[in-house]
């Protein structure tokens, strides 16, 4: 006889782990099934040759009050979250009028970043600086009711009402690529403004002692400590549905029963593959098919024989290197640009134990399409990243012992199944673009009784891991109510 659980959570990414840990804390007996050897999803921290690092560059935004902090508090383990705040970062920028990149060091403060260092880097004159400050202040101080009205416009449309100095526009276009992995002319203005508010008011970024993986390991332990169960190396092949109600899942070891199934596998893989379109209305299947996946980030990890980089975070871009839709479509047609944006972190400059003494790992990434099959172009982008480093920080290339690569194919294999053309390797999940955010975001409650989605596709807002953990909290609350109502009705 198949064992019965209160709830089964598919996938141990930040969303699934947060949700399962809270459900266990609130008295349910959840079972979390993860196909990989370890939990963590796209935010996993791995170990090699004494280095510990994420698969791609990772930074927590917001740093003060991220959703992980709320979750840890609800779990009664707040002292186990060990944030490290980003204090200084190195930025390198090239205007189209300049031949060379200029660099600057920005300082974070309690109230956020002082923009003067940015404005000087962009080469803005005094009047432009005043305009730039007024635009950023408007965004930072925007009340929630105004923010919600921005669901219907792109960030570019929002900015078009101002006379934006070009250096600032270029930075914000790069930022859309680097923070939400979207183009400025598709990204939802409400989501992009939320990120900028987080950065301005709650800290520009940060990391954790032991990396993101340590946070996720702690959540995994919290599931078990509160009476839940975690099975790794267990892929869910199918979600069972009978008469419009979920009844459990199928793994290669057999059937597992539960009246509630919460999927962190992505809404498109869940509906189209794990449940199967035949269990939904045609209009819902069409809706799910038409959802747009976000772009991806492809990463090169440079393992260095000496510590050559001083700062925990690096950002490189030029007026020519960020992608809007026009540039993206050119890339898709095979025209890989001369320069790429680069976002990189040095884990051991946050937490020295992340590298062996005297060594360093630089994890750098750039924007790319999410298609796991676009491997040729991804290789070219790796080459462009090497060229960028040679141009701006040649000392890195001189110290390279070996490199590791991570593109949409690896991300999809490790996390989200490829079920639609061009989908699978997304950096975050569904694109955070107009029509898919705020009031347009898919509901975490599927149109099948007992089936919920958790993680980046539904239930949260903001950047990457924060969005997934926020969804974990919101969906756990929703599931608890559903569970209680079922119990009351029996
Ligand atoms: C290159 C890159 C850079 C990033 N940079 C940042 C950053 O700087 N800051 C930030 O906050 N975020 C960043 N992110 C995003 C962040 O990692 C994700 O937003 C977050 O991990 C999403 O969490 P999730 O719970 O939605 O899903 P995921 O992390 O995708 O986890 C889903 C889990 O479900 C499992 N699963 C899927 N299908 C099945 C199945 N059938 N059976 C069992 N298990 C299954 C997967 O193995 C996986 O463990 C980055 C991501 C990438 C790829």
């Amino acid at each position: 006889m198949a064992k019965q659980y209160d709830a089964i959570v598919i996938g141990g990414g930040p969303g699934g782990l947060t949700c399962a840990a809270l459900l266990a804390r609130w008295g349910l007996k959840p079972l979390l099934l993860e196909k990989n050897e370890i939990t963590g999803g796209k935010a996993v921290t791995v170990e090699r040759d004494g280095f510990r690092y994420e698969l791609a560059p990772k930074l927590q935004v917001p740093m003060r009050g991220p959703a992980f902090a709320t979750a840890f508090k609800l779990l009664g383990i707040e002292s186990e979250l060990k944030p490290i705040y980003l204090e200084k970062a190195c930025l390198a920028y090239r205007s189209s009028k300049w031949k060379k990149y200029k660099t600057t060091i920005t300082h974070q403060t309690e109230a956020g970043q002082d923009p003067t260092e940015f404005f000087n880097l962009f080469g803005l004159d005094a009047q432009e600086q005043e305009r730039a400050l007024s635009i950023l202040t408007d965004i930072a101080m925007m009340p929630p009711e105004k923010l919600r009205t921005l669901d219907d416009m792109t960030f570019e449309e929002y900015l078009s009402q101002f006379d934006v100095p070009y250096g600032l526009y270029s930075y914000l276009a790069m930022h859309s690529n680097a923070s939400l992995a979207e183009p400025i002319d598709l990204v939802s203005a409400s989501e992009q403004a939320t990120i900028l508010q987080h950065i301005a008011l709650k800290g520009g970024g940060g990391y954790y002692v032991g990396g993101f993986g340590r946070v996720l390991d702690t959540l995994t332990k919290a599931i078990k400590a509160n009476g839940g169960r975690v099975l790794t190396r267990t892929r869910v092949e199918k979600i069972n549905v009978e008469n419009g109600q979920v009844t459990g899942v199928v793994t290669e070891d057999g059937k597992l029963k539960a009246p509630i199934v919460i999927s962190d596998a992505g809404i498109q893989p869940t509906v189209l593959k794990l449940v199967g379109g035949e269990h939904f209305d045609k209009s819902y299947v069409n809706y799910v098919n038409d959802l747009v996946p976000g772009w991806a980030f492809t990463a090169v990890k440079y393992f260095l024989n000496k510590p050559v980089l001083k700062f925990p975070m690096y950002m490189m871009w030029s007026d020519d290197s960020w992608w809007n839709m026009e540039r993206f479509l050119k890339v898709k047609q095979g025209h890989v640009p001369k320069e790429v944006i680069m976002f990189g972190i040095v884990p051991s400059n946050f937490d020295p134990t992340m590298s062996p003494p005297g060594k360093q790992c630089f994890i750098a990434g750039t924007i790319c399409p999410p298609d796991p099959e676009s491997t040729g172009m991804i290789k070219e982008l790796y080459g462009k990243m090497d060229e960028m480093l040679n141009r701006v920080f040649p000392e890195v290339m001189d110290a390279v012992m070996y490199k590791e690569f991570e593109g949409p194919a690896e991300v999809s294999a490790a996390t989200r199944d490829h079920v639609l053309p061009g989908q699978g390797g997304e950096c975050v999940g569904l694109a955070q673009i107009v029509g898919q955010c705020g009031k347009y975001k898919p509901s975490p409650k599927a149109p099948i009784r007992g089936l919920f989605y958790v993680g980046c596709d539904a239930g949260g807002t903001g950047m990457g891991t924060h969005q997934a953990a926020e969804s974990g909290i919101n969906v756990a609350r929703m599931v608890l109510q559903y569970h209680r109502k079922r119990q009351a009705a029996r």
Side-chain angles (χ1 to χ4, degrees):
M1 249 246 317
K3 192 167 172 359
Q4 173 93 21
Y5 293 89
D6 288 337
I8 290 176
V9 178
I10 305 170
L17 290 170
T18 305
C19 184
L22 288 170
L23 289 177
R25 174 82 173 169
W26 294 335
L28 277 78
K29 295 271 173 280
L31 167 68
L32 185 138
L33 302 170
E34 167 55 53
K35 68 181 164 119
N36 295 330
E37 276 200 38
I38 49 171
T39 53
K42 295 184 179 88
V44 73
T45 304
V46 295
E47 242 183 292
R48 174 178 169 173
D49 299 342
F51 289 99
R52 278 181 296 149
Y53 53 98
E54 280 69 37
L55 300 176
K58 283 261 155 22
L59 211 64
Q60 184 76 86
V61 172
M63 199 52 212
R64 294 181 180 84
F68 283 133
T70 312
F72 273 53
K73 195 160 183 216
L74 290 167
L75 291 164
I77 52 172
E78 55 265 56
S79 62
E80 290 183 45
L81 191 69
K82 301 195 186 307
I84 309 173
Y85 301 110
L86 178 67
E87 286 176 1
K88 285 183 191 171
C90 179
L91 309 182
Y93 165 65
R94 189 183 64 75
S95 150
S96 52
K97 297 180 206 136
W98 312 334
K99 278 207 172 127
K100 286 196 168 169
Y101 278 75
K102 282 188 193 168
T103 57
T104 194
I105 311 305
T106 62
H107 296 77
Q108 311 286 124
T109 66
E110 274 299 307
Q113 289 159 312
D114 176 356
T116 317
E117 291 137 341
F118 282 88
F119 298 162
N120 290 337
L121 176 68
F122 308 155
L124 305 188
D125 64 28
Q127 271 187 348
E128 289 171 327
Q129 294 214 9
E130 211 171 290
R131 278 195 340 256
L133 186 61
S134 148
I135 293 163
L136 292 180
T137 309
D138 266 15
I139 296 173
M141 294 303 154
M142 199 184 292
E145 58 280 10
K146 168 97 191 284
L147 206 55
R148 279 195 290 275
T149 66
L150 303 190
D151 284 346
D152 289 290
M153 65 172 83
T154 68
F155 195 47
E156 174 155 286
E157 282 164 347
Y158 169 76
L159 290 175
S160 67
Q161 64 186 302
F162 306 107
D163 181 9
V164 186
Y166 193 73
L168 176 66
Y169 180 85
S170 186
Y171 168 74
L172 293 172
M174 175 281 291
H175 211 285
S176 310
N177 291 176
S179 60
L180 289 180
E182 304 298 350
I184 190 165
D185 47 357
L186 272 190
V187 73
S188 148
S190 56
E191 282 291 283
Q192 196 59 46
T194 301
I195 305 284
L196 293 169
Q197 285 197 339
H198 283 167
I199 291 174
L201 307 175
K202 296 184 173 183
Y207 195 66
Y208 294 98
V209 172
F212 278 77
R214 179 143 182 242
V215 176
L216 301 168
D217 284 350
T218 310
L219 287 171
T220 308
K221 284 183 192 140
I223 299 173
K224 298 176 193 165
N226 286 290
R229 221 181 142 204
V230 177
L231 284 180
T232 54
R233 285 184 226 149
T234 309
R235 171 184 266 280
V236 171
E237 311 283 356
K238 191 170 179 306
I239 297 175
N240 283 332
V241 176
E242 284 169 28
N243 305 318
Q245 159 76 52
V246 287
T247 55
V249 302
V250 181
T251 71
E252 64 175 16
D253 298 325
K255 277 188 186 175
L256 295 159
K257 291 176 95 181
I260 297 172
V261 172
I262 306 152
S263 177
D264 191 19
I267 186 168
Q268 291 174 322
T270 301
V271 170
L272 305 175
K273 183 175 172 184
L274 295 178
V275 177
E278 65 281 10
H279 290 284
F280 296 91
D281 272 1
K282 216 171 174 188
S283 61
Y284 189 74
V285 175
N286 289 340
Y287 161 73
V288 170
N289 259 303
D290 289 346
L291 289 168
V292 178
W295 286 356
F297 232 67
T298 191
V300 182
K301 282 148 278 184
Y302 299 89
F303 295 89
L304 311 178
N305 59 18
K306 54 183 178 205
V308 289
L309 292 169
K310 275 196 207 151
F311 301 101
M313 186 197 119
Y314 288 79
M315 202 90 228
M316 282 163 245
W317 76 102
S318 74
D319 291 346
D320 306 315
S321 62
W322 45 263
W323 293 0
N324 56 9
M325 275 310 287
E326 190 191 338
R327 289 177 179 177
F328 172 68
L329 291 174
K330 275 196 192 145
V331 176
K332 274 188 89 175
Q333 286 158 5
H335 305 290
V336 173
K338 274 196 190 147
E339 291 177 7
V340 292
I341 65 157
M342 262 176 109
F343 159 51
I345 71 151
V346 182
S348 56
N349 285 348
F350 280 108
D351 170 1
T353 68
M354 300 297 283
S355 285
K359 300 216 167 93
Q360 210 169 46
C361 172
F362 179 52
I363 316 176
T366 195
I367 192 90
C368 68
D371 187 354
E373 286 166 6
S374 61
T375 45
M377 175 212 298
I378 301 298
K379 268 195 184 150
E380 276 196 63
L381 290 172
Y382 294 147
K384 295 288 166 198
M385 287 166 71
D386 284 359
E387 283 174 25
M388 284 293 294
L389 279 180
N390 250 331
R391 194 172 305 158
V392 189
F393 299 108
E395 61 276 25
V396 172
M397 295 310 286
D398 292 342
V400 173
M401 299 187 290
Y402 55 88
K403 296 186 261 182
E404 263 184 18
F405 305 93
E406 194 81 28
E410 291 77 20
V411 170
S412 176
T415 63
R416 186 172 286 222
D417 289 346
H418 173 46
V419 295
L420 285 169
Q423 164 277 340
E426 296 86 296
C427 175
V428 176
L430 291 179
Q432 285 164 273
I433 58 175
V434 174
Q436 300 191 168
C437 293
K439 58 181 179 277
Y440 302 113
K441 188 118 180 155
S443 165
K445 206 168 175 322
I448 283 180
R449 289 196 310 284
L451 178 63
F452 296 83
Y453 315 116
V454 74
C456 279
D457 287 1
T461 55
M463 187 164 147
T465 55
H466 168 78
Q467 172 175 232
E470 186 175 272
S471 160
I473 298 167
N474 292 336
V475 174
R477 288 192 172 121
M478 218 179 242
V479 169
L480 179 67
Q481 293 313 318
Y482 178 82
H483 171 74
R484 284 183 175 158
K485 267 201 243 163
R486 269 180 57 88
Q487 281 188 322
R490 270 206 228 135

